[in-house]
Amino acid sequence: MQRAYNFNAGPSALPQEVLDRAQAELLNFKGTGMSVMELSHRSKEYDQVHQQAISDLRSLMRIPDDYHVLFLQGGASLQFSMIPMNFLTADKTADYILTGSWSQKALDEAKKFGNTNVIASSKDEKYNFIPEIDVNNLSDNSAYVHITSNNTIYGTQWEKYPTYKNEPLIADMSSDILSREINVEQFDMIYAGAQKNLGPSGVTVVIIKDSLLKQGNQNLPTMLDYNTHVNSNSLYNTPPTFSIYMLSLVLEWVKEQGGVPAIEAKNHEKAALLYNTIDDSDGFYKAHAKKGSRSIMNVSFTLPSDELTKKFLAQAKDKGFVGLNGHRSIGGCRASIYNAVPLESVRALAAFMDEFKSNN
Ligand code: PMP
């Protein structure tokens, strides 16, 4: 069987080893005679999966003990609402840094709950860079600062995060969690939909510092209050057990690859292959992101004309490349090269790009 060269932006490629293992365990998980999907979420077999996923994420990301790890539903998009519901109190202002459509969506939700402020933005230049941050440029009584660590559509990524003295920093890491080493302690909260680097859709990982929880609004609907999920270890209601199981397999795979440092090195190698192809193409291909802000996860690029773009995408499809269309908001092309995308797929794409350029 020929696996596709999968460059989907999310849901996206999963490691073949993980899929093989899930297939092998599908009908009879650890001698239970049942699939993980059929186990009670209160059973000891499921509990082990749940705990293992939490402890593996803790060790891979070096998450300190005063942070909670939660598995929630509703996607990263529900976090856009839960964050202001929980932390934007009436006396405060929430600060947002706009680096793309997802940060804009996060901001739009916060506006429904209280005062907001945009402290930096690259909107005027089609979000093609990460703006410089003056850390003193904050609202007087800032509830938190929200950033999007990697901009899935525009292909930009923060190289160095801003550091604030007292204000909580919250990051949407949906499209680059676990792709490179970070210091979790720089953040008060990190969240990510799983469907890019962590597993299938259906589970959203939230990493939240205990001190932030204590500052929250009271009397929220039970399911929308982070305390509910902290107090029940994400088992207040039925969690997405199969997605969490897949997440646990992906985390095991990351460990087998040598952990985050090894994954990061491979990600740089993959990204360099594509950016070098683009930069060495005498302007035939152009990266959307400026140098210094380029993402190692999503490589967004254009060709000289719409006709050539269409032709490129059609030929790419014929050769088995999937998911190379740019997002409808910016057009062009995009290769999402998350952790599970093999180096061989990226090599094949780079070779195809060279060949297409020569022929056209
Ligand atoms: N944030 C970012 C950076 C994303 O890329 C996406 C999805 N592509 C989202 C948020 C929304 O995630 P979800 O579909 O899980 O709500």
Side-chain angles (χ1 to χ4, degrees), residues 9-10 74-78 80 102 148 150-152 172-175 191 193 195-196 204:
S77 299
L78 183 60
F80 297 165
W102 297 111
T148 313
N150 183 77
N151 299 283
T152 324
D172 174 1
M173 290 198 186
S174 291
S175 50
Y191 64 98
Q195 63 272 22
K196 300 165 200 301
T204 304

Side-chain angles (χ1 to χ4, degrees), residues 7-23:
F7 294 96
N8 278 333
S12 43
L14 284 165
Q16 167 134 13
E17 297 92 322
V18 164
L19 295 171
D20 286 340
R21 167 106 181 256
Q23 184 183 47

Side-chain angles (χ1 to χ4, degrees), residues 21-198:
R21 167 106 181 256
Q23 184 183 47
E25 294 182 337
L26 191 70
L27 294 183
N28 184 6
F29 179 71
K30 302 220 160 137
T32 56
M34 292 175 272
S35 157
V36 171
M37 281 181 276
E38 302 168 286
L39 298 175
S40 163
H41 60 295
R42 309 281 175 205
S43 66
K44 76 173 189 322
E45 289 85 3
Y46 175 71
D47 194 57
Q48 218 176 358
V49 171
H50 196 89
Q51 295 309 335
Q52 191 66 47
I54 294 171
S55 73
D56 282 348
L57 193 67
R58 280 191 176 283
S59 67
L60 283 167
M61 290 183 71
R62 293 177 287 117
I63 300 172
D65 288 346
D66 59 334
Y67 287 73
H68 306 278
V69 174
L70 306 178
F71 298 143
L72 306 184
Q73 298 186 64
S77 299
L78 183 60
Q79 297 309 305
F80 297 165
S81 316
M82 277 178 74
I83 290 164
M85 281 177 110
N86 279 265
F87 306 125
L88 181 48
T89 46
D91 54 325
K92 292 193 172 174
T93 300
D95 288 317
Y96 280 75
I97 298 176
L98 290 192
T99 53
S101 319
W102 297 111
S103 29
Q104 178 71 54
K105 285 201 164 127
L107 168 69
D108 291 345
E109 288 306 297
K111 281 182 186 162
K112 297 175 185 168
F113 295 101
N115 297 322
T116 58
N117 188 18
V118 173
I119 55 173
S121 169
S122 52
K123 191 173 182 177
D124 289 348
E125 292 186 48
K126 289 197 181 145
Y127 296 123
N128 65 359
F129 69 105
I130 300 293
E132 283 290 319
I133 302 300
D134 177 353
V135 290
N136 300 312
N137 183 17
L138 281 172
S139 298
D140 282 345
N141 199 1
S142 177
Y144 57 82
V145 179
H146 180 280
I147 67 167
T148 313
S149 60
N150 183 77
N151 299 283
T152 324
I153 297 173
Y154 299 92
T156 60
Q157 187 174 26
W158 288 76
E159 276 198 351
K160 196 165 168 278
Y161 302 115
T163 39
Y164 295 97
K165 253 199 219 122
N166 299 314
E167 295 72 18
L169 182 62
I170 299 181
D172 174 1
M173 290 198 186
S174 291
S175 50
D176 69 350
I177 191 165
L178 223 57
S179 68
R180 58 181 182 178
E181 288 205 277
I182 60 157
N183 176 7
V184 171
E185 279 175 292
Q186 268 189 276
F187 301 90
D188 295 78
M189 177 173 158
I190 291 168
Y191 64 98
Q195 63 272 22
K196 300 165 200 301
N197 266 343
L198 298 177

Side-chain angles (χ1 to χ4, degrees), residues 2-8 274 284-285 301 303 307-326 332-335 345-346 348-357 359-360:
Q2 172 73 38
R3 295 262 299 153
Y5 294 128
N6 185 351
F7 294 96
N8 278 333
L274 295 187
F284 185 80
Y285 298 110
F301 60 96
L303 283 84
E307 289 69 45
L308 280 169
T309 306
K310 273 195 203 126
K311 191 173 168 189
F312 176 87
L313 291 171
Q315 287 188 12
K317 194 172 164 210
D318 287 345
K319 289 189 182 287
F321 295 102
V322 174
L324 289 175
N325 301 53
C333 302
R334 168 178 56 176
S345 297
V346 181
L349 176 60
F352 168 66
M353 288 171 72
D354 278 338
E355 184 194 307
F356 185 86
K357 188 210 142 192
N359 294 342
N360 291 276

